[in-house]
Every structure is written in structure tokens, then in C-alpha cells.
């Protein structure tokens, strides 16, 4: 068993009382492993019919499943590469689950990497509205981009900024915000013993000040009537209930909303604070000796709208979560004229680079043909209204114009659709986002050995004389592309950086 700091043990004794020994005993048990299905791609009922693993349900979300690593290896199954689920610590599924997100809303995940919560928020949007997923670290945000692409979340912007910089660009902009704040990590001591050393170096007091600052910036970005979840993976009262109490006192139009109590949930502990607000009992705590997950804390908060500020009360305010329409984005099918106007720009070779002219320019016929192919392909996609743009030789669909994002570091905006060379080369992210709209395909069963050959980057030899680009799917779900030469040989176009190594 790891050696726990004496001060920490004293805090846990005060928090748990006679359950403290049960908590210590949990360190001798193996942490639980789980995954959450991606309802952007597959429904809960469809998954129950397809589930190839030995699993048990996670009690606090219908989308979560426990598995045993000695029985199942979901990270090596083709469904993982199709983005049908995300492997995630079970307690970490709670924050995104309790945030009520509806299609068409504007949603911010402020501390998003590596993407477990962001992919669930994106799944709730169902391709409508906007997800901004942020992490202050550029390197961590790259993992976030990959996981959103795997999940088929195309209506997203990934940024790598400090919260105060985002607040300057998005004042009062978001319907829903998730703040899974950096913390002292007490709830992860069993899974990651190295967190103990970090606790000794910084501790709860350091993180509490960081959390207050982040929450203040999140408040500025939340619309009146909007909802926010604040969560940590620590037990510390100083970082949990005390931070929430400070927030409620600092911002009088914020309130705590009750959430449905699930198996394994424990309530907040306002009784251990001086003059603790009673509504803090609605916070959710997870203890590893009482639930099958690591330590976690979460609370659902709501900003009052004008009616609530006139005295309609907390219960009335918290019952008002419902879709608010399109929020000014106009998330309808992209008009054919917009696609036609974009594809009217021929590519012209200039100084070794390809540029999109402001007006139609003369170019070699092969590039004119590429634009015709692009237009034909785009018209088949269920793209909502947005912005088509060309950067060098890549075509992007972007939910937010880049000029609206000036002043912040943007790692990804929307989805890369294709690369234009002599022909159209469709992108990996497109295969994962719109597989049901792409007709030329080669479908394999999950147990077909060709699936793993494809995921390892091998050329496929098939009984087919197809030529051109084909979408490779597993049980109907997109994986990537291959290119047939008309003789039964299909060149592998799966993204090299994602290939299976085992």
C-alpha cells in the first residue's frame, strides 16, 4: 500500500468518520476499468445487440460498461477504431452525464483534454450546435483533437488557451459549460500513486485558488439561464464544497441544482464547513469504498435568467433546462448555392503552392475536374450551414469563421474534408464523421481478418475489380479509406499515425 501524507489522512478521517478504514482497505483492490459508448454513432439499444465483450453496466450512466481486462480488450477491437466507444475511468463519466446538453446548443468544455468528457458532450449535441473544447496545453489538445475525430464530432472547435483569453472572445456566449478543474488529485491516489508527490508539492490550497479563477472566467462566458458543471477528482473540502460556496457567494445569481441520485452517489458535506449552504448537499461525491470507481466530485450549477432574478426560486430555475433552438447558428443543411459558389473557385498553381482565387481563374483541366468531383461529393454530405474554406490544398468545413476566433490559439476548427491534388483525396476525419452518407464502401464483419490488416496499414487483396476511393467499414461503421486499382488490389489510405501496432 502507498504511504499517504499524515495531513491528508487526518482530513479523510474527518470526512469519513468510521468509514475511514473501509476507505484504506480500498487501496488493496484493483481499480475498475470501463468504457462509455458513443451515441453520436450508435444507440444504447444497438450497442446491446452488438456488444462483443463481457461487461456490466455502470450504475450512474446508461452509456457506461465495466469490463475486465483479463476477459476483454476493447482498445484492440475494430469498434474502438470506428469510434463506437471511449475507454474512460467510470467516475469520470459523471460530470458530462449530469450536464443537460441538447442538440443546437453552444457548449464549452473548459479543461477538456484528453477528451472523455468532450466526446460525450459532442455526442449529446448530435451534430447540431457548437462544442468548444479547450485545454491550456497545446500538446494535450492534440490528443483532444484525435479523440473528437474518432468520435465523429465535426461541429467542434479545439483551442489551447487560458480561460481569461477565451472569456474575452466568448462573453455570455455558452448555454452549457463543463469545468473539470485541475485539482490535487486525491481521488486518483489508488490508480496513480505518483499523485501523492504532487499533493505534497502543491496541495489543496494551491489548487483552490486556481479553481476559483477558472470558475470566475466560466461565469463570464455562461449565458443567463445557462447551466454549468464543476467537477474535480479530489476529496478535499477546500477544493470542492468550499470552492462552490465561495462561488455562490461571489455570484449571487448562481445556484446549485439537484441531480438524480444514482447507486454509488454520496451527497455533499456542507455540515463540515463553517456556515455551509444547505444546497451544497446536492453535490455528488464518489468514494472508492462505496462505489466502483475512483474518487470524484461534481455539482450542477445554473445561472438565473431575468425571471429567476425576480424571485422565482431555485427549484423553478433548475427545472427550466430545455433546448433553446438554434442559438443564431442556423444549423440547417448547407445550401447547394454555398457549395456551388465555393467550388466555382478553380485551383491555380502559383509559386509551387495552390491557391483559391477570389474569382474563377483559368487552371489546368485536371484541377477543374477535381473541383467538380469535390462539389459532387459535398452535395452528398449532410453538412449544416457553416464555412467552407481552403488552406493550401486542404478543404475544411468550419462551424465558426476563423476571423471570429482572432486572438486565441485554435488547434482545430471543424473538420478537414479532403486534400486536392490531381484528384480528391478524402480525409480520415470525414470517414468517421459521415460514414452513413458515403456510398462507395467495402464493409467487413468485425471478425474478418481483413479488418485488422487494414488497421495495420496493409494493402488489401479482395475479390473485386473496383477502382477509385472506397470507404472501409466494420459492421457498417466507418474506419477510413482505401483506393482500388481495378484489379482487386486496394491501396491502404488509413491514417499512418493511428495504425494498430499490435
Amino acid at each position: 500500500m502507498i504511504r499517504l501524507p499524515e495531513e491528508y489522512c487526518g482530513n479523510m478521517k474527518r470526512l469519513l468518520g468510521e468509514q475511514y478504514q473501509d476507505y484504506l482497505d480500498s487501496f488493496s483492490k484493483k481499480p475498475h476499468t470501463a468504457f462509455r459508448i458513443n451515441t453520436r454513432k450508435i444507440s444504447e439499444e444497438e450497442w446491446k445487440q452488438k456488444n462483443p465483450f463481457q461487461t456490466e453496466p455502470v450504475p450512474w450512466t446508461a452509456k457506461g460498461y465495466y469490463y475486465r481486462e483479463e476477459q476483454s480488450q476493447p482498445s484492440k477491437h475494430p469498434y474502438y477504431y470506428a469510434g463506437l466507444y471511449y475507454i474512460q475511468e467510470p467516475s469520470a463519466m459523471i460530470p458530462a452525464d449530469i450536464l443537460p446538453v441538447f442538440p443546437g446548443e453552444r457548449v464549452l468544455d473548459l479543461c477538456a483534454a484528453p477528451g472523455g468528457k468532450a466526446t460525450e458532450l459532442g455526442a449529446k449535441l448530435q451534430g447540431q450546435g457548437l462544442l468548444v473544447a479547450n485545454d491550456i496545453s497545446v500538446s494535450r489538445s492534440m490528443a483532444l483533437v484525435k479523440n473528437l475525430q474518432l468520435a465523429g464530432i465535426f461541429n467542434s472547435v479545439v483551442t489551447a488557451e487560458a480561460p481569461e483569453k477565451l472569456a474575452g472572445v466568448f462573453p455570455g456566449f455558452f448555454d452549457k459549460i463543463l469545468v473539470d478543474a485541475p485539482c490535487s488529485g486525491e481521488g486518483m491516489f489508488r490508480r496513480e500513486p505518483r499523485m501523492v508527490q504532487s499533493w505534497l508539492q502543491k496541495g489543496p490550497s494551491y489548487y483552490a485558488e486556481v479553481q476559483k479563477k477558472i470558475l470566475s472566467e466560466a461565469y463570464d462566458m455562461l449565458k443567463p439561464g445557462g447551466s454549468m458543471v464543476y467537477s474535480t477528482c479530489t476529496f478535499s473540502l477546500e477544493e470542492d464544497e468550499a470552492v462552490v460556496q465561495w462561488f455562490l457567494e461571489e455570484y449571487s445569481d448562481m445556484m446549485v441544482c439537484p441531480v438524480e441520485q444514482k447507486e454509488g452517489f454520496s451527497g455533499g458535506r456542507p455540515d463540515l464547513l463553517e456556515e455551509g449552504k444547505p444546497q451544497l448537499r446536492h453535490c455528488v461525491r464518489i468514494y472508492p469504498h462505496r462505489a466502483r470507481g475512483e474518487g470524484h466530485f461534481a455539482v450542477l450549477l445554473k445561472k438565473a435568467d431575468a425571471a429567476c432574478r425576480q424571485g422565482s426560486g431555485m427549484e423553478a430555475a433548475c427545472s427550466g433546462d430545455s433546448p433553446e433552438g438554434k442559438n443564431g447558428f442556423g444549423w440547417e443543411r448547407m445550401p447547394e448555392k454555398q457549395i456551388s459558389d465555393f467550388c466555382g473557385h478553380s485551383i491555380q498553381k502559383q509559386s509551387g503552392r495552390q491557391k483559391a482565387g477570389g474569382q474563377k481563374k483559368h487552371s489546368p483541366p485536371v484541377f477543374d475536374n477535381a473541383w467538380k468531383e469535390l462539389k459532387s461529393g459535398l452535395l452528398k454530405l449532410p453538412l449544416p450551414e457553416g464555412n467552407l474554406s481552403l488552406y493550401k490544398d486542404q478543404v475544411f468545413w468550419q462551424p465558426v469563421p476563423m476571423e471570429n476566433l482572432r486572438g486565441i490559439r485554435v488547434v482545430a476548427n471543424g473538420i478537414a474534408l479532403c486534400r486536392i491534388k490531381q484528384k480528391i483525396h478524402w480525409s480520415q476525419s470525414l470517414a468517421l464523421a459521415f460514414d452513413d452518407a458515403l456510398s462507395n464502401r467495402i464493409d467487413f464483419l468485425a471478425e474478418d481478418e481483413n479488418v485488422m490488416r487494414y488497421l495495420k496499414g496493409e494493402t488489401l487483396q479482395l475479390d473485386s475489380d473496383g477502382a477509385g476511393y472506397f470507404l472501409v467499414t466494420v459492421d457498417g461503421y466507418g474506419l477510413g479509406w482505401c483506393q482500388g486499382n481495378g484489379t482487386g488490389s486496394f491501396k491502404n489510405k488509413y491514417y499512418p499515425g493511428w495504425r494498430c501496432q499490435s
Side-chain angles (χ1 to χ4, degrees):
M1 178 176 167
I2 65 173
R3 184 173 180 178
L4 298 172
E6 185 176 336
E7 180 183 352
Y8 169 72
C9 291
N11 293 339
M12 293 302 290
K13 287 177 183 178
R14 178 170 173 253
L15 182 65
L16 296 173
E18 59 186 26
Q19 295 182 36
Y20 176 66
Q21 187 57 50
D22 293 335
Y23 165 68
L24 291 181
D25 292 342
S26 71
F27 279 84
S28 63
K29 300 176 182 178
K30 188 176 180 181
H32 297 282
T33 52
F35 60 82
R36 172 190 47 77
I37 63 168
N38 175 16
T39 52
R40 172 73 179 92
K41 295 193 170 194
I42 188 169
S43 70
E44 295 165 26
E45 289 304 315
E46 289 172 328
W47 176 256
K48 290 176 183 177
Q49 298 173 10
K50 291 182 177 291
N51 186 354
F53 310 117
Q54 298 183 44
T55 60
E56 298 177 59
V58 174
W60 41 81
T61 173
K63 302 176 184 180
Y65 292 86
Y66 295 107
Y67 69 92
R68 295 182 179 178
E69 291 179 304
E70 63 271 18
Q71 296 175 336
S72 305
Q73 293 184 306
S75 64
K76 297 182 179 180
H77 195 279
Y79 287 169
Y80 172 81
Y81 294 88
L84 299 194
Y85 50 79
Y86 184 95
I87 297 172
Q88 189 174 24
E89 196 282 310
S91 297
M93 299 177 188
I94 294 171
D97 188 76
I98 66 174
L99 184 62
V101 170
F102 300 96
E105 292 186 320
R106 299 168 172 174
V107 181
L108 169 65
D109 188 349
L110 190 51
C111 312
K117 300 171 180 67
T119 50
E120 169 60 5
L121 298 176
K124 286 185 172 185
L125 286 174
Q126 289 296 309
Q128 303 175 53
L130 173 69
L131 171 67
V132 175
N134 178 73
D135 195 277
I136 196 169
S137 164
V138 174
S139 59
R140 289 197 302 266
S141 66
M142 296 306 295
L144 177 58
V145 170
K146 176 185 176 181
N147 285 320
L148 287 169
Q149 289 180 350
L150 270 174
I153 311 300
F154 66 91
N155 54 322
S156 62
V157 175
V158 177
T159 58
E161 271 300 352
E164 58 267 26
K165 290 288 289 293
L166 289 180
V169 176
F170 297 109
F173 182 84
F174 294 102
D175 300 285
K176 306 291 164 63
I177 297 179
L178 194 152
V179 178
D180 186 45
C183 67
S184 61
E186 295 174 355
M188 300 299 291
F189 283 177
R190 178 174 69 169
R191 183 179 287 269
E192 299 183 36
R194 61 183 177 83
M195 294 295 295
V196 174
Q197 188 60 36
S198 176
W199 190 95
L200 290 168
Q201 292 173 353
K202 293 182 178 179
S205 296
Y206 169 85
Y207 285 102
E209 294 307 310
V210 173
Q211 292 151 0
K212 291 174 182 178
K213 182 173 177 56
I214 292 174
L215 279 173
S216 295
E217 305 298 347
Y219 172 87
D220 289 341
M221 291 185 276
L222 186 64
K223 292 171 59 176
S227 297
M228 177 194 306
V229 163
Y230 170 68
S231 64
T232 72
C233 58
T234 191
F235 302 116
S236 166
L237 283 163
E238 187 176 1
E239 299 175 72
D240 294 341
E241 286 89 347
V243 166
V244 177
Q245 176 145 318
W246 169 87
F247 187 58
L248 297 175
E249 292 171 351
E250 191 77 8
Y251 302 97
S252 59
D253 58 344
M254 295 298 301
M255 59 203 75
V256 174
C257 290
V259 297
E260 182 183 354
Q261 292 300 301
K262 304 287 183 69
E263 178 188 337
F265 282 12
S266 298
R269 298 299 303 274
D271 55 302
L272 297 179
L273 299 176
E274 290 186 26
E275 301 179 3
K277 292 182 179 292
Q279 56 183 294
L280 293 177
R281 71 183 186 277
H282 296 306
C283 300
V284 173
R285 281 180 167 271
I286 291 287
Y287 299 107
H289 65 285
R290 299 187 62 181
R292 295 173 64 186
E294 303 309 297
H296 223 84
F297 172 89
V299 59
L300 176 61
L301 301 156
K302 189 174 179 73
K303 180 185 280 192
D305 56 23
C308 295
R309 283 194 288 269
Q310 294 172 8
S312 59
M314 182 184 75
E315 295 300 328
C318 290
S319 65
D321 281 306
S322 59
E324 298 181 14
K326 299 182 178 65
N327 297 311
F329 274 97
W331 294 94
E332 303 292 341
R333 175 75 168 84
M334 180 175 281
E336 181 175 348
K337 184 178 185 304
Q338 188 174 343
I339 295 174
S340 297
D341 288 348
F342 178 78
C343 292
H345 297 273
S346 295
I347 287 186
Q348 184 178 26
K349 286 270 189 176
Q350 293 184 2
S351 302
R353 298 175 64 187
Q354 297 174 358
K355 298 183 179 181
Q359 299 177 349
K360 189 175 178 80
K361 297 184 178 182
H362 297 291
S363 57
V366 65
F367 292 110
D368 283 334
N369 291 336
W371 281 107
K372 291 176 183 177
E373 183 185 350
L374 174 63
K375 177 181 176 181
S376 175
L378 292 182
L379 289 173
K380 297 176 184 177
L381 299 177
L383 285 169
E385 285 189 6
N387 305 272
L388 288 169
S389 65
L390 180 68
Y391 179 71
K392 296 183 179 179
D393 59 357
Q394 289 195 80
V395 176
F396 295 87
W397 177 87
Q398 297 172 334
V400 181
M402 287 301 293
E403 56 265 29
N404 293 359
L405 300 171
R406 287 175 182 164
I408 58 176
R409 287 181 293 187
V410 178
V411 181
N413 184 1
I415 180 174
L417 298 174
C418 64
R419 187 181 296 274
I420 303 177
K421 294 185 178 179
Q422 292 187 347
K423 294 184 177 180
I424 299 297
H425 297 267
W426 299 107
S427 72
Q428 178 69 39
S429 52
L430 178 67
L432 291 158
F434 296 114
D435 54 10
D436 54 350
L438 303 167
S439 55
N440 292 342
R441 56 177 62 207
I442 298 173
D443 190 37
F444 296 114
L445 298 176
E447 57 271 19
D448 192 321
E449 63 180 12
N450 279 308
V451 177
M452 295 311 299
R453 290 182 55 215
Y454 175 75
L455 292 172
K456 292 178 180 180
E458 299 178 17
T459 298
L460 301 179
Q461 301 294 332
L462 305 175
D463 185 16
S464 171
D465 57 359
Y469 260 68
F470 288 83
L471 178 69
V472 178
T473 66
V474 54
D475 292 336
Y477 299 97
L479 293 171
W481 302 94
C482 67
Q483 187 173 17
N485 63 4
T487 65
S489 179
F490 290 81
K491 186 177 181 180
N492 198 308
K493 295 291 183 177
Y494 189 67
Y495 180 61
W498 292 6
R499 288 175 182 170
C500 177
Q501 302 299 318
S502 59

